[in-house]
Amino acid sequence: MAIRTILEFPDPRLRTVAEPVATVDDDVRTLIDDMFETMYDASGIGLAATQINVHQRIVTMDLSEENNQPMVFINPDVEVLDEQPHSYQEGCLSVPGFYEEVTRPQQVRIRALNRDGEAFELVADELLAVCIQHEIDHLDGKLFVDHISPLKRNRIRSKLEKKHKQEAAHR
Ligand code: QAP
Ligand code: CO
Protein backbone atom coordinates (compact mmCIF):
# COMPACT_ATOMS: atom_id res chain seq x y z
CA MET A 1 0.00 0.00 0.00
CA ALA A 2 1.09 3.57 -0.57
CA ILE A 3 0.05 7.09 0.30
CA ARG A 4 -0.39 9.09 -2.92
CA THR A 5 -0.07 12.86 -3.40
CA ILE A 6 -3.40 14.70 -3.35
CA LEU A 7 -3.77 17.36 -6.07
CA GLU A 8 -4.90 20.77 -4.82
CA PHE A 9 -7.10 23.46 -6.42
CA PRO A 10 -6.45 25.13 -8.86
CA ASP A 11 -4.38 22.26 -10.35
CA PRO A 12 -5.74 21.82 -13.90
CA ARG A 13 -5.46 18.01 -13.61
CA LEU A 14 -8.48 18.17 -11.25
CA ARG A 15 -10.50 19.21 -14.34
CA THR A 16 -9.94 15.85 -16.12
CA VAL A 17 -13.08 13.78 -16.77
CA ALA A 18 -12.41 10.21 -15.53
CA GLU A 19 -12.99 7.09 -17.66
CA PRO A 20 -15.25 4.22 -16.53
CA VAL A 21 -13.45 1.17 -15.11
CA ALA A 22 -13.72 -1.63 -17.71
CA THR A 23 -12.77 -4.55 -15.43
CA VAL A 24 -12.48 -4.66 -11.66
CA ASP A 25 -9.19 -6.55 -11.36
CA ASP A 26 -6.33 -6.74 -8.85
CA ASP A 27 -4.77 -3.52 -10.21
CA VAL A 28 -8.03 -1.69 -9.48
CA ARG A 29 -8.18 -3.23 -5.98
CA THR A 30 -4.58 -2.12 -5.28
CA LEU A 31 -5.50 1.39 -6.38
CA ILE A 32 -8.54 1.29 -4.04
CA ASP A 33 -6.29 0.22 -1.13
CA ASP A 34 -3.96 3.16 -1.88
CA MET A 35 -6.96 5.50 -2.01
CA PHE A 36 -8.12 4.37 1.45
CA GLU A 37 -4.61 4.72 2.88
CA THR A 38 -4.30 8.21 1.37
CA MET A 39 -7.79 9.25 2.53
CA TYR A 40 -7.34 8.02 6.12
CA ASP A 41 -3.84 9.53 6.34
CA ALA A 42 -5.28 12.93 5.33
CA SER A 43 -8.27 12.58 7.74
CA GLY A 44 -10.75 12.64 4.85
CA ILE A 45 -14.22 11.10 4.62
CA GLY A 46 -14.28 10.83 0.84
CA LEU A 47 -11.77 10.64 -2.02
CA ALA A 48 -12.15 10.38 -5.80
CA ALA A 49 -9.34 8.79 -7.88
CA THR A 50 -9.12 12.10 -9.80
CA GLN A 51 -7.68 13.70 -6.64
CA ILE A 52 -4.61 11.42 -6.80
CA ASN A 53 -4.26 12.05 -10.55
CA VAL A 54 -5.76 8.69 -11.59
CA HIS A 55 -8.55 9.34 -14.06
CA GLN A 56 -10.74 6.29 -13.48
CA ARG A 57 -14.25 6.39 -12.01
CA ILE A 58 -13.54 5.21 -8.45
CA VAL A 59 -14.60 6.74 -5.11
CA THR A 60 -13.65 5.72 -1.57
CA MET A 61 -15.55 6.91 1.48
CA ASP A 62 -15.82 6.30 5.22
CA LEU A 63 -18.44 8.34 7.05
CA SER A 64 -18.06 6.51 10.41
CA GLU A 65 -16.58 8.11 13.54
CA GLU A 66 -14.21 5.20 14.05
CA ASN A 67 -12.95 4.98 10.44
CA ASN A 68 -14.12 1.38 10.31
CA GLN A 69 -16.82 1.49 7.60
CA PRO A 70 -14.97 1.71 4.28
CA MET A 71 -17.23 2.11 1.23
CA VAL A 72 -16.10 1.92 -2.38
CA PHE A 73 -18.05 2.98 -5.46
CA ILE A 74 -16.78 2.00 -8.92
CA ASN A 75 -18.46 3.68 -11.94
CA PRO A 76 -20.95 5.38 -9.58
CA ASP A 77 -24.08 7.03 -10.91
CA VAL A 78 -26.86 8.87 -9.11
CA GLU A 79 -30.52 9.30 -9.88
CA VAL A 80 -32.15 12.19 -8.04
CA LEU A 81 -35.07 10.91 -5.93
CA ASP A 82 -35.83 14.16 -4.10
CA GLU A 83 -34.95 17.47 -5.79
CA GLN A 84 -35.50 19.35 -2.50
CA PRO A 85 -32.43 21.60 -2.11
CA HIS A 86 -30.28 20.63 0.85
CA SER A 87 -27.36 22.79 2.04
CA TYR A 88 -24.25 21.46 3.68
CA GLN A 89 -20.94 23.08 4.69
CA GLU A 90 -18.59 21.17 2.37
CA GLY A 91 -14.83 20.82 2.48
CA CYS A 92 -12.43 18.90 0.25
CA LEU A 93 -8.97 17.36 0.58
CA SER A 94 -8.13 19.18 -2.66
CA VAL A 95 -9.21 22.55 -1.17
CA PRO A 96 -7.58 22.24 2.27
CA GLY A 97 -8.65 24.68 4.96
CA PHE A 98 -11.75 26.04 3.20
CA TYR A 99 -15.41 25.20 3.87
CA GLU A 100 -18.47 26.67 2.15
CA GLU A 101 -22.21 25.98 1.98
CA VAL A 102 -23.21 24.02 -1.12
CA THR A 103 -26.81 23.21 -2.10
CA ARG A 104 -27.57 19.87 -3.76
CA PRO A 105 -30.59 17.55 -4.16
CA GLN A 106 -31.63 15.99 -0.84
CA GLN A 107 -31.98 12.32 -1.78
CA VAL A 108 -30.42 10.19 -4.53
CA ARG A 109 -30.26 6.54 -5.58
CA ILE A 110 -26.64 5.42 -6.07
CA ARG A 111 -25.78 2.67 -8.55
CA ALA A 112 -22.20 1.39 -8.60
CA LEU A 113 -19.94 -1.67 -8.65
CA ASN A 114 -18.28 -3.01 -5.50
CA ARG A 115 -14.65 -4.17 -5.22
CA ASP A 116 -15.65 -7.59 -6.61
CA GLY A 117 -17.15 -5.93 -9.69
CA GLU A 118 -20.74 -6.68 -8.63
CA ALA A 119 -23.48 -4.11 -9.17
CA PHE A 120 -25.29 -2.70 -6.12
CA GLU A 121 -27.59 0.18 -5.42
CA LEU A 122 -28.64 2.12 -2.36
CA VAL A 123 -30.77 5.10 -1.46
CA ALA A 124 -28.74 7.92 0.07
CA ASP A 125 -29.71 10.99 2.04
CA GLU A 126 -27.92 13.28 4.51
CA LEU A 127 -24.11 13.09 4.53
CA LEU A 128 -23.93 10.08 2.17
CA ALA A 129 -26.01 11.92 -0.45
CA VAL A 130 -23.85 15.05 -0.10
CA CYS A 131 -20.60 13.11 -0.23
CA ILE A 132 -21.40 10.90 -3.25
CA GLN A 133 -22.54 13.94 -5.28
CA HIS A 134 -19.36 15.81 -4.26
CA GLU A 135 -17.18 12.81 -5.26
CA ILE A 136 -18.95 12.19 -8.61
CA ASP A 137 -18.36 15.89 -9.35
CA HIS A 138 -14.59 15.16 -9.00
CA LEU A 139 -14.88 12.31 -11.54
CA ASP A 140 -16.48 14.84 -13.91
CA GLY A 141 -13.68 17.38 -13.33
CA LYS A 142 -15.75 19.56 -10.98
CA LEU A 143 -15.06 20.90 -7.48
CA PHE A 144 -17.33 22.19 -4.70
CA VAL A 145 -15.91 25.68 -5.29
CA ASP A 146 -17.65 25.62 -8.71
CA HIS A 147 -20.95 25.76 -6.77
CA ILE A 148 -20.09 28.96 -4.83
CA SER A 149 -19.78 32.60 -5.95
CA PRO A 150 -16.90 33.54 -8.29
CA LEU A 151 -15.75 36.07 -5.67
CA LYS A 152 -15.38 33.39 -2.96
CA ARG A 153 -13.83 30.95 -5.45
CA ASN A 154 -11.22 33.50 -6.60
CA ARG A 155 -10.31 34.34 -2.99
CA ILE A 156 -9.76 30.65 -2.25
CA ARG A 157 -7.71 30.27 -5.46
CA SER A 158 -5.41 33.19 -4.52
CA LYS A 159 -4.87 31.90 -0.98
CA LEU A 160 -4.04 28.38 -2.16
CA GLU A 161 -1.73 29.69 -4.93
CA LYS A 162 0.11 31.73 -2.29
CA LYS A 163 0.42 28.65 -0.06
CA HIS A 164 1.72 26.56 -3.00
CA LYS A 165 4.36 29.21 -3.81
CA GLN A 166 5.52 29.23 -0.17
CA GLU A 167 5.69 25.44 -0.10
CA ALA A 168 7.73 25.45 -3.34
CA ALA A 169 10.16 28.06 -1.93
CA HIS A 170 10.82 25.95 1.17
CA ARG A 171 11.56 22.81 -0.85
C1 QAP B 1 -16.00 15.52 0.75
O1 QAP B 1 -14.10 15.88 2.06
C2 QAP B 1 -17.12 16.07 1.59
O2 QAP B 1 -10.00 21.23 4.44
C3 QAP B 1 -14.91 14.85 1.54
O3 QAP B 1 -7.94 20.68 6.06
C4 QAP B 1 -16.89 17.04 2.55
O4 QAP B 1 -12.95 14.44 3.31
C5 QAP B 1 -18.37 15.63 1.40
C6 QAP B 1 -10.50 17.65 4.84
C7 QAP B 1 -17.93 17.53 3.32
C8 QAP B 1 -19.40 16.11 2.17
C9 QAP B 1 -19.18 17.05 3.14
C10 QAP B 1 -10.67 18.95 4.42
C11 QAP B 1 -9.44 17.36 5.68
C12 QAP B 1 -11.38 16.57 4.39
C13 QAP B 1 -9.82 19.94 4.84
C14 QAP B 1 -13.13 15.59 2.97
C15 QAP B 1 -8.76 19.65 5.68
C16 QAP B 1 -8.57 18.36 6.10
C17 QAP B 1 -12.33 16.72 3.45
CO1 CO C 1 -13.41 16.68 -2.68
Side-chain angles (χ1 to χ4, degrees):
M1 298 230 289
I3 294 169
R4 312 274 196 109
T5 304
I6 299 175
L7 302 178
E8 293 187 5
F9 177 69
D11 193 309
R13 293 171 290 183
L14 288 168
R15 298 311 186 176
T16 312
V17 178
E19 296 286 341
V21 173
T23 339
V24 181
D25 55 17
D26 285 345
D27 288 347
V28 169
R29 283 183 281 269
T30 299
L31 171 62
I32 289 167
D33 290 343
D34 285 358
M35 287 175 65
F36 276 114
E37 196 178 3
T38 304
M39 182 182 85
Y40 287 130
D41 175 73
S43 302
I45 59 170
L47 185 75
T50 308
Q51 293 176 274
I52 57 164
N53 200 29
V54 174
H55 302 290
Q56 298 191 54
R57 303 188 76 84
I58 303 171
V59 167
T60 55
M61 213 185 279
D62 191 332
L63 306 180
S64 68
E65 291 288 335
E66 318 246 284
N67 279 351
N68 60 0
Q69 285 168 48
M71 290 188 283
V72 56
F73 302 90
I74 300 168
N75 299 342
D77 227 327
V78 296
E79 173 197 339
V80 175
L81 297 179
D82 186 352
E83 294 273 7
Q84 188 78 22
H86 178 258
S87 299
Y88 197 92
Q89 180 110 339
E90 296 191 19
C92 181
L93 290 171
S94 295
V95 191
F98 297 90
Y99 301 84
E100 295 291 342
E101 290 281 326
V102 175
T103 304
R104 303 182 187 272
Q106 168 113 10
Q107 193 185 55
V108 296
R109 186 191 316 280
I110 309 171
R111 291 192 175 86
L113 303 179
N114 66 18
R115 64 180 291 142
D116 298 316
E118 301 158 344
F120 69 97
E121 55 176 74
L122 61 93
V123 172
D125 49 27
E126 314 211 310
L127 186 55
L128 180 57
V130 174
C131 201
I132 194 70
Q133 292 179 82
H134 173 116
E135 301 308 335
I136 290 174
D137 267 2
H138 279 300
L139 302 179
D140 291 329
K142 295 180 202 143
L143 294 164
F144 84 84
V145 296
D146 301 343
H147 295 272
I148 64 178
S149 76
L151 180 64
K152 283 183 177 168
R153 181 166 58 251
N154 288 333
R155 280 192 191 137
I156 293 172
R157 180 190 289 115
S158 313
K159 287 179 181 167
L160 283 174
E161 279 172 343
K162 192 172 165 191
K163 183 189 85 135
H164 297 153
K165 283 202 182 97
Q166 280 166 350
E167 285 168 352
H170 286 276
R171 204 161 282 138

